[in-house]
């Protein structure tokens, strides 16, 4: 595939000029033909659409990374080398902006990669290709974060500031405490605020627990991160 | 690279120890060969330890040349392949695929035909490739190919031999069957080989399910809608007479949890194409706390205290499922169904790839189990039109014996039994016990009660424009679902031409609540009087209007006349299904719905807090007198 002398010129924005990341709607054709997922997320506060399992897991990992400020799936509608193209993800991490494409084994057309890297570098963004296999290796972690996100999405109106403070103080004092210390298995309604506060603290990175190899449960040990 | 025995022992020194060779139990070797096998093994062990061949001959009676041959047979071969080892010590054991060395039999020089076909396929140019083309066309479903049979394949074989100039006095022409049997066996072996290659190639490469997932109640929910394979009868009372109507097959929507295999709900939808509203009703019912309904069918009983998880305790009505797996039906991509996931469950909505039912295997299997029970009824439609269990012509002339309610109760009893049956995959626990255990011992996700209270499953919000036909001296109106809605809420000249938001219960659209775009409530507006007699849904009104376009009924009071016309068409099974659906809709107990006659004189006196958006069902019973009164108006 031939490209122009300036590869970035092969990329055109077809929607939302200037380059503002807004989730592009998925057509009914894609929704019915792809392995399609939808989930209300937190760092991207809307119902996010994903076109494969790897994209969903990647978004869950972004939710769990305290350095990631926000992300947008399917952010731009572009035309690359004459063909329509929608990147899979946009996210901001530590002040830097990244635009990502998830592919099996990280295989992506070289000409397109070059064009997109140059184009986004001109706009102070970094274009990266992420392999699906890297997401599947962190399945347990991603699914744990998905549980946290779903809990937060269902309770966004609850005020848990006091409960967060109490939990933080208790965990810092004790250094390690199990989740059952705050969540009453017999009366979940009574400990609802503490439960949501706990998830918020995990999401903010103020508490940590082993989510890589174990499912989030009553016995998960909480440790302070502050 | 080919290695002889000496090179093999240099390459793999561990093979000098015969105990490192694979062990073949003696009882797996034919009795007649065991003695020679033992002798061979003994001589091999001695040869590998360095005994002189003549000494071995003294002890075992095997000549030195035979010992060398045995060594070569057991250890030689390609460097990257495993040598035969112990298998080579079994006398007369075939280690390689047989190949013919002798020339083919001919009329002048008769001989055996062993491996003759393989010889032909190897020596005649392009014979094997051309025969493969025939088989490939069949397997790939090529429209130019044929559904190959052994007889036709044999004809191809003979024709290709003739084209290749094969002599007519050589095999297969020396045989009475012209090599048919050998070719038939070859055809089946080759087809199996090619099928296996295609299957291996066709294995899905994309990952559609995580390889690791938690085992917990509430992880994944599956549901499906399918036509129930049995017809039933419904009795309607007209003029103090019970009229039986044969009903077409209705649809069954089954909702189930995947990990515990616990059935959550079954819902009958009186249409063969359930809509998003039917699916939403089924899902809402699965999470609505209500006791098991009383059984009215004689001979049926639950036999268990608990039926479904929602009967256990209040926590099970708040359970939030993390995933749902649905197929690509349009109803599943509709807004109402998705709003259940994003505003009630807050879970992942997953619509899988087309023509891939395996991820939904559990629910497909569950419905299949219920279908097997349906086929016990005499009024079953069977598996296909030639199924001997399919309802006979004699029975088709009469109405079925089993009623809709009896089938409904049968299905419920079966599901309750399933939920209380121990399962091996649950370590002997029942699905309900497993749900209870998970709820007590695992951190399951529950939706806060406030979010459930705030969720109104049947409420629809829509923005519409206020219109005003000044020339007709009419009050402003809103166009909604084929009609003009009027009321004091929109009697404001400043609102004409502007957008307002209407909110309504899609099950009863006789009134609409009007709000401005900032959420301030303006009041209620009403459908025309003729449409206020009975609660009816968006679907019913749309159906009536489409039906009316064919000018088959009068528009004046169409609800009652439509119903009467359906009854008069009682010979039509599909109409009977529609009658049943309408009957249930008209007599549905909607909390808070009242028959709307006129707008209240002073709307300020009526209290309509947002949380009190409910209806009471006080629809009067339908009777012929009412219908006739309308007809004669």
């Amino acid at each position: 595939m031939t490209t122009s002398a300036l590869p970035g010129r092969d990329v055109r924005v077809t929607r939302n000029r200037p380059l503002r990341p807004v989730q592009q709607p998925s057509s009914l054709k894609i929704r019915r033909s792809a392995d399609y997922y939808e989930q209300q997320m937190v760092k991207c506060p809307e119902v996010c659409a994903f076109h494969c399992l790897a994209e969903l897991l990647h978004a869950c990992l972004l939710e769990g990374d305290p350095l990631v400020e926000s992300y947008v799936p399917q952010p731009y509608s572009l035309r690359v080398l004459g063909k329509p193209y929608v990147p899979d993800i946009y996210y901001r991490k530590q002040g830097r902006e990244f635009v990502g494409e998830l592919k099996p084994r990280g295989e992506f057309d070289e000409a397109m990669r070059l064009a997109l890297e140059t184009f986004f570098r001109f706009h102070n963004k970094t274009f990266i290709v992420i392999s699906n296999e890297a997401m599947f290796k962190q399945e347990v972690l991603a699914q744990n974060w998905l549980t946290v996100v779903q809990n937060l999405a269902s309770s966004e109106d609850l005020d848990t500031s006091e409960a967060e403070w109490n939990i933080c103080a208790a965990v810092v004092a004790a250094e390690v405490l199990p989740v059952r210390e705050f969540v009453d298995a017999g009366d979940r309604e009574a400990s609802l605020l503490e439960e949501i506060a706990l998830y918020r603290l995990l999401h903010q990175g103020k508490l940590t627990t082993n989510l890589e190899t174990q499912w989030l449960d009553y016995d998960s040990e909480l440790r302070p991160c502050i | 690279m080919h290695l002889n025995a000496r090179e093999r022992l240099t390459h793999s020194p561990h093979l000098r120890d015969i105990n490192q060779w694979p062990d073949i139990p003696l009882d797996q070797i034919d009795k007649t060969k065991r003695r020679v096998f033992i002798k061979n093994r003994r001589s091999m062990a001695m040869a590998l330890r360095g005994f002189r061949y003549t000494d071995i001959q003294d002890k075992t009676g095997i000549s030195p040349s035979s010992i060398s041959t045995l060594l070569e047979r057991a250890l030689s071969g390609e460097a990257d392949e495993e040598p035969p080892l112990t298998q080579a010590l079994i006398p007369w054991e075939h280690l390689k695929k047989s190949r013919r060395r002798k020339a083919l039999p001919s009329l002048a020089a008769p001989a055996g035909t062993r491996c003759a076909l393989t010889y032909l396929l190897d020596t005649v140019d392009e014979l094997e490739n051309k025969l493969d083309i025939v088989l490939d066309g069949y397997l790939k479903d090529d429209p130019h190919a044929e559904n190959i049979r052994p007889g036709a394949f044999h004809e191809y074989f003979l024709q290709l031999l003739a084209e290749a100039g094969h002599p007519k006095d050589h095999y297969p022409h020396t045989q009475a069957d012209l090599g048919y049997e050998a070719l038939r066996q070859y055809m089946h072996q080759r087809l199996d080989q090619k099928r296996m290659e295609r299957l291996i190639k066709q294995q899905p490469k994309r990952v559609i399910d995580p390889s690791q997932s938690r085992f917990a109640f509430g992880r994944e929910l599956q549901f499906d809608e399918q036509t129930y394979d049995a017809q039933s009868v419904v009795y309607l009372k007209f003029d103090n007479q019970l009229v039986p109507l044969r009903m077409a097959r209705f649809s069954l929507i089954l909702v189930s949890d995947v990990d515990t295999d616990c059935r959550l709900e079954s819902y009958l939808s009186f249409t063969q194409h359930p809509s998003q509203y039917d699916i939403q009703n089924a899902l809402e019912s699965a999470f609505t706390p209500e006791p098991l309904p009383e059984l009215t069918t004689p001979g049926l009983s639950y036999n268990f205290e608990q039926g479904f998880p929602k009967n256990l305790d209040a926590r099970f009505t708040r359970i939030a499922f993390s995933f749902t797996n649905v197929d690509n039906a349009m109803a599943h991509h509709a807004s109402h169904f998705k709003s259940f996931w994003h505003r009630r469950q807050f879970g992942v909505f997953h619509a899988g790839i087309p023509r891939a039912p395996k991820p939904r295997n559990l629910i497909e299997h569950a419905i299949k189990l219920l279908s097997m029970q349906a086929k016990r009824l005499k009024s079953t439609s069977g598996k296909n039109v030639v199924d001997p269990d399919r309802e006979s012509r004699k029975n088709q002339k009469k109405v079925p014996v089993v009623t809709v309610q009896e089938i409904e109760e049968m299905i419920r009893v079966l599901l309750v039994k399933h939920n209380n049956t121990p399962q091996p995959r649950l370590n002997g626990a029942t699905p309900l016990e497993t749900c209870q255990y998970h709820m007590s011992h695992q951190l399951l996700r529950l939706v806060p009660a406030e979010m459930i209270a705030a969720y109104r499953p049947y409420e629809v919000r829509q923005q519409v424009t206020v219109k005003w036909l000044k020339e007709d001296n009419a009050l402003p109106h809103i166009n909604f679902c084929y009609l003009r809605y009027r009321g004091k809420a929109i009697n404001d000249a400043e609102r004409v031409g502007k957008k307002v938001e209407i909110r309504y219960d899609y099950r009863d659209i006789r009134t609409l609540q009007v709000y401005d775009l900032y959420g301030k409530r303006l009041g209620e507006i009403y459908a025309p009087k003729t449409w206020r007699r009975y609660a009816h849904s968006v679907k019913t009104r749309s159906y009536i209007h489409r039906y009316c376009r064919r000018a088959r009924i009068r528009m004046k009071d169409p609800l009652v006349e439509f119903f009467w016309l359906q009854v008069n068409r009682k010979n039509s099974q599909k109409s009977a299904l529609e009658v049943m659906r309408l009957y249930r809709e008209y007599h549905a107990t909607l909390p808070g719905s009242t028959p709307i006659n006129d707008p209240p004189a002073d709307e300020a006196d009526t209290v309509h807090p947002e949380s009190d958006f409910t209806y009471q069902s006080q629809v009067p019973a339908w009777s012929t007198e009412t219908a006739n009164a309308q007809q004669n108006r």
Side-chain angles (χ1 to χ4, degrees):
Chain A
M1 192 181 295
T2 57
T3 59
S4 61
L6 289 171
R9 295 286 292 173
D10 296 315
V11 182
R12 297 276 185 269
V13 181
T14 53
R15 216 182 275 178
N16 294 331
R17 298 185 187 86
L19 214 57
R20 186 162 52 92
V22 171
Q23 187 176 199
Q24 304 299 307
S26 302
S27 66
L28 183 64
K29 185 181 169 189
I30 287 181
R31 279 186 271 143
R32 296 187 79 198
S33 60
D35 192 24
Y36 183 73
Y37 297 83
E38 273 186 9
Q39 170 66 46
Q40 172 74 44
M41 303 300 260
V42 175
K43 286 186 183 172
C44 178
E46 57 183 359
V47 175
C48 295
F50 306 102
H51 296 167
C52 65
L53 179 61
E55 288 181 31
L56 172 66
L57 296 180
H58 182 243
C60 296
L61 294 172
L62 292 177
E63 289 277 354
D65 186 348
L67 301 176
V68 170
E69 295 147 28
S70 66
Y71 64 86
V72 178
Q74 331 294 335
Y76 309 114
S77 210
L78 306 173
R79 202 155 189 93
V80 181
L81 297 169
K83 292 179 190 167
Y85 171 73
V86 175
D88 286 334
I89 194 82
Y90 159 92
Y91 62 95
R92 284 179 67 92
K93 184 170 178 177
Q94 289 180 297
R96 286 184 62 194
E97 293 172 290
F98 297 85
V99 178
E101 173 72 24
L102 283 117
K103 284 286 187 201
R105 295 169 296 282
E107 292 166 356
F108 192 59
D109 181 69
E110 273 310 307
M112 280 184 70
R113 180 205 289 260
L114 184 62
L116 286 163
E117 275 178 359
T118 316
F119 173 78
F120 283 114
R121 199 181 312 132
F122 178 76
H123 292 278
N124 297 320
K125 298 178 196 351
T126 309
F127 178 77
I128 52 172
V129 177
I130 309 159
S131 75
N132 290 355
E133 287 72 19
M135 301 301 110
F136 298 134
K137 280 186 187 160
Q138 303 177 74
E139 263 176 351
V140 176
L141 178 64
Q143 288 182 73
N144 276 327
W145 279 119
L146 178 63
T147 307
V148 172
V149 161
Q150 287 171 341
N151 275 293
L152 294 181
S154 65
S155 47
E156 55 185 16
D157 293 335
L158 292 179
D159 179 16
T160 57
S161 40
E162 193 178 331
E164 287 175 41
W165 177 259
N166 292 337
I167 291 174
C168 256
V171 175
V172 166
E175 289 186 2
V176 57
L177 280 175
V179 168
R180 66 171 72 253
E181 188 72 24
F182 305 105
V183 180
D184 185 354
D187 190 356
R188 296 283 296 277
E189 192 69 30
S191 58
L192 173 68
L193 286 180
E194 283 75 19
E195 189 178 340
I196 302 302
L198 198 148
Y199 293 132
R200 284 185 178 155
L201 290 169
L202 281 170
H203 192 248
Q204 290 158 16
K206 292 179 180 154
L207 288 183
T208 182
T209 183
N210 178 13
L211 296 176
E212 284 89 0
T213 54
Q214 290 172 6
W215 301 109
L216 184 59
D217 211 334
Y218 287 114
D219 297 326
S220 300
E221 290 179 343
L222 300 166
R223 289 181 169 79
C225 236
I226 36 178
Chain B
M1 188 178 78
H2 186 85
L3 301 174
N4 62 23
R6 191 184 294 274
E7 286 164 350
R8 178 76 73 185
L9 288 173
T10 312
H11 187 264
S12 311
H14 67 280
L15 292 177
R16 283 193 179 277
D17 180 8
I18 200 155
N19 293 321
Q20 299 284 330
W21 288 29
D23 182 39
I24 299 179
L26 276 177
D27 52 6
Q28 285 186 11
I29 299 172
D30 190 65
K31 260 190 198 172
T32 54
K33 298 177 185 174
R34 276 184 206 162
R35 188 180 289 187
V36 177
F37 170 75
I38 293 168
K39 206 161 53 165
N40 287 345
R41 196 160 186 272
R42 194 173 163 215
S43 63
M44 193 55 43
M46 293 166 75
L48 287 172
R49 284 213 298 269
F51 279 67
R52 288 171 63 183
Y53 287 9
T54 46
D55 292 340
I56 299 173
Q57 185 183 18
D58 293 337
K59 289 207 163 33
T60 62
I62 300 179
S63 64
S65 60
S66 299
I67 294 169
S68 300
T69 309
L70 213 53
L71 264 175
E72 287 299 324
R73 193 172 138 85
L75 292 168
S76 66
E78 295 299 317
D80 53 354
E81 286 174 4
E82 273 293 309
L85 299 177
T86 317
Q87 195 181 357
L89 304 179
I90 303 173
W92 311 112
E93 185 74 4
H94 286 253
L95 298 176
K96 293 178 195 172
K97 198 174 170 191
S98 302
R99 287 258 174 252
R100 189 180 180 91
R101 291 201 178 88
K102 204 171 174 178
L104 283 175
S106 65
L107 293 174
T113 58
R114 192 158 185 280
C115 300
L117 179 64
T118 319
Y119 183 88
L120 269 179
L121 292 171
D122 289 341
T123 52
V124 177
D125 276 343
E126 291 297 311
L127 177 63
E128 191 174 8
N129 292 340
K130 287 181 180 171
L131 288 174
D132 276 354
I133 290 170
V134 173
L135 298 178
D136 285 337
Y138 165 59
L139 285 176
K140 287 177 190 170
D141 202 21
D142 184 355
H144 302 289
E146 70 172 282
N147 292 328
I148 196 66
R149 298 287 180 267
F153 195 62
H154 186 237
E155 289 296 325
Y156 279 117
F157 170 66
L158 293 175
Q159 191 177 323
L160 290 168
L161 280 180
E163 283 172 9
H166 184 71
K168 285 270 167 71
D169 63 339
H170 278 62
Y171 179 90
H173 301 285
T174 55
Q175 304 298 305
D177 67 350
L178 296 178
Y180 171 84
E181 181 57 23
L183 192 76
R184 186 190 69 81
Q185 290 187 23
Y186 166 76
M187 186 189 100
H188 288 303
Q189 282 167 13
R190 192 77 179 127
L191 273 177
D192 286 347
Q193 204 177 343
K194 284 185 172 293
R195 273 198 192 98
M196 184 62 74
E197 284 167 12
R198 281 174 65 80
L199 265 177
I200 289 168
K201 231 185 197 182
Q202 282 169 2
Q203 286 307 302
K205 293 183 182 61
R206 75 168 112 184
V207 176
I208 55 176
D209 260 338
S211 62
Q212 294 181 73
S213 53
R214 191 178 176 192
F215 177 71
F217 174 63
R219 185 188 64 81
E220 184 174 341
L221 181 114
Q222 285 184 5
F223 69 89
D224 199 8
E225 52 278 358
Q226 204 157 319
T227 320
Y228 193 71
D229 291 333
Q231 292 193 338
S232 52
V233 66
V234 61
Y235 289 90
L236 293 184
K237 195 175 177 185
F238 293 105
D239 288 337
N240 293 325
Q241 280 184 349
L242 277 180
V243 179
L245 298 175
R246 175 182 277 267
M247 216 168 68
R249 295 179 298 159
F250 48 77
S251 295
L252 171 68
I253 302 175
L254 192 61
V255 184
S256 185
D257 172 64
V258 172
D259 283 349
T260 60
D261 198 20
C262 191
R263 308 286 180 254
L264 300 179
E265 186 60 77
S266 68
Y267 181 85
L268 301 196
S269 168
F270 295 102
T271 168
Q272 292 187 348
H273 304 282
S275 66
Q276 55 171 320
Y277 305 116
D278 296 313
I279 296 168
Q280 183 161 13
N281 287 342
L283 292 171
E284 282 297 319
S285 180
F287 299 100
T288 303
E290 56 187 20
L292 275 176
E294 295 279 333
L295 292 171
T296 57
T297 308
L300 288 183
S301 62
Y302 290 124
N303 297 327
F304 300 99
E305 281 181 17
Q306 306 292 355
F308 299 101
K310 65 181 181 183
N311 305 131
L312 293 174
D313 64 56
R315 291 176 300 173
F316 288 90
T317 56
R318 290 173 44 215
I319 191 78
F321 280 81
S322 295
F323 275 89
T324 182
N325 214 332
V326 301
D327 61 30
N328 282 305
M330 286 298 294
H332 300 155
H333 286 278
S335 57
H336 270 294
F337 170 68
K338 278 212 228 161
S339 77
F340 178 80
W341 284 104
H342 299 314
R343 288 165 47 204
R344 171 67 171 83
Q345 295 284 316
F346 298 93
V348 176
F349 167 80
H350 176 208
I353 51 178
R355 294 182 300 279
K358 274 189 186 169
R360 296 186 309 281
N361 192 39
L362 177 113
I363 200 67
E364 303 283 347
H365 182 65
I367 289 195
K368 185 182 165 188
L369 289 177
L370 278 179
S371 294
M372 284 163 58
Q373 300 297 330
K375 287 170 179 61
R376 293 169 70 175
L377 297 168
K378 274 293 182 187
S379 58
T380 182
S381 53
K383 286 180 263 191
N384 47 58
V385 292
V386 296
D387 186 359
D389 289 338
R390 187 178 164 88
E391 190 178 24
S392 61
R393 279 201 181 179
K394 176 196 79 154
N395 285 343
Q396 276 178 7
K397 290 176 191 166
K398 298 174 271 187
V399 290
V401 164
V402 64
T403 65
V404 172
Q405 186 160 8
E406 284 170 357
I407 290 184
E408 202 170 10
E409 291 181 353
M410 267 193 265
I411 291 171
R412 202 178 306 125
V413 162
L414 288 168
L415 295 182
V416 166
K417 176 178 177 275
H418 170 88
N419 285 348
N420 287 281
T421 304
Q423 290 200 19
R425 69 185 278 274
L426 301 176
N427 299 326
T430 67
L432 276 179
E433 285 168 356
T434 312
C435 290
Q436 284 175 303
Y437 180 82
H438 287 175
M439 184 60 82
S440 307
H441 294 85
Q442 289 196 32
L443 185 58
L444 303 184
R445 191 165 68 89
L446 303 179
V447 182
E450 298 89 356
M451 295 302 283
I452 295 174
Y455 172 66
R456 297 190 183 99
Y458 304 107
E459 184 186 87
V460 180
R461 298 184 182 193
Q462 203 173 321
Q463 285 189 0
V464 292
T465 309
V466 178
K467 310 266 180 159
W468 187 23
L469 300 172
K470 289 179 252 190
E471 297 76 17
D472 294 349
N473 283 328
L475 288 170
H477 70 273
I478 280 172
N479 289 326
F480 175 73
C481 208
Y482 302 95
L483 298 177
R484 290 176 185 163
Y485 283 69
R486 290 190 168 93
K488 288 183 185 173
I490 51 173
N491 291 346
D492 185 349
E494 288 183 6
R495 293 219 180 269
V496 174
K498 301 245 173 50
K499 289 243 186 229
V500 294
E501 185 182 79
I502 54 169
R503 299 178 190 177
Y504 58 92
D505 183 332
Y506 68 72
R507 299 170 299 172
D508 182 1
I509 52 171
R510 294 176 292 172
T511 61
L512 309 176
Q513 308 296 320
V514 185
Y515 293 76
D516 66 12
L517 296 182
Y518 300 105
K520 182 186 166 198
R521 189 171 181 278
L522 303 175
E524 271 187 345
I525 52 176
Y526 307 91
K529 268 190 193 170
T530 51
W531 288 90
R532 289 190 224 145
R533 291 180 56 79
Y534 300 103
H536 56 278
S537 64
V538 171
K539 182 175 177 178
T540 301
R541 190 187 291 175
S542 304
Y543 179 78
I544 290 171
H545 278 83
R546 284 200 305 272
Y547 198 72
C548 288
R549 272 194 215 118
R550 292 177 242 160
R552 299 224 345 227
I553 57 175
R554 289 186 290 154
M555 280 304 292
K556 208 171 181 184
D557 200 2
L559 295 179
V560 166
E561 287 190 316
F562 175 74
F563 196 101
W564 182 243
L565 195 68
Q566 290 293 324
V567 168
N568 282 330
R569 289 169 59 208
K570 62 190 176 197
N571 290 328
S572 162
Q573 295 168 12
K574 291 273 173 73
S575 301
L577 195 67
E578 184 63 21
V579 163
M580 187 65 196
R581 188 188 72 75
L582 285 169
Y583 184 80
R584 284 227 174 162
E585 190 175 285
Y586 290 170
H587 292 83
T589 308
L590 292 177
S593 70
T594 53
I596 305 296
N597 296 315
D598 287 308
D602 187 355
E603 280 205 82
D605 287 340
T606 58
V607 178
H608 300 282
E610 275 209 40
S611 60
D612 194 21
F613 188 81
T614 55
Y615 294 105
Q616 296 278 333
S617 171
Q618 292 179 18
V619 175
W622 185 91
S623 67
T624 50
E625 290 81 19
T626 333
N628 290 336
Q630 292 299 325
Q631 199 168 5
N632 297 330
R633 201 175 57 205

